[in-house]
Amino acid sequence: MKPDSNNPPRVRPGYWFLPRQFGLGATPATWQGWATIVSFVVLVICVDRSIDDPADKACTALLLGVPFIVLVWLKTDGGWGWHWPWRS
């Protein structure tokens, strides 16, 4: 079943993201999902500007990135998996 641009897919209550139509991952579907993405990007930019040592930057990025990915995975309606657009 192909998505209809006039009727975007709905996300169930408690979930902020929907699985991507093609590939692996998720896309924000609610304002909470978008707020999560924007907050993460702002946090990474602040860390990048405040830490000089590349090793410390990498370590901090890992410490921030793993919980972010776990949160997105937990808040994705339908879970993650490889999706092909031409398969139902």
Side-chain angles (χ1 to χ4, degrees):
M1 179 178 185
K2 292 188 176 188
D4 184 7
S5 61
N6 295 329
N7 297 318
R10 298 275 181 182
V11 63
R12 293 184 296 171
Y15 293 101
W16 302 343
F17 298 89
L18 288 172
R20 291 181 55 177
Q21 291 181 1
F22 178 73
L24 180 67
T27 186
T30 65
W31 71 267
Q32 294 97 332
W34 283 107
T36 303
I37 299 290
V38 169
S39 299
F40 179 72
V41 168
V42 167
L43 191 58
V44 167
I45 290 170
C46 289
V47 165
D48 183 55
R49 292 183 177 187
S50 64
I51 298 175
D52 293 327
D53 184 34
D56 288 344
K57 282 184 184 183
C59 191
T60 305
L62 186 65
L63 290 173
L64 294 174
V66 169
F68 171 74
I69 291 171
V70 169
L71 175 67
V72 171
W73 175 67
L74 290 173
K75 290 294 190 174
T76 300
D77 186 12
W80 284 12
W82 189 266
H83 298 281
W84 298 102
W86 53 85
R87 294 185 187 169
S88 56

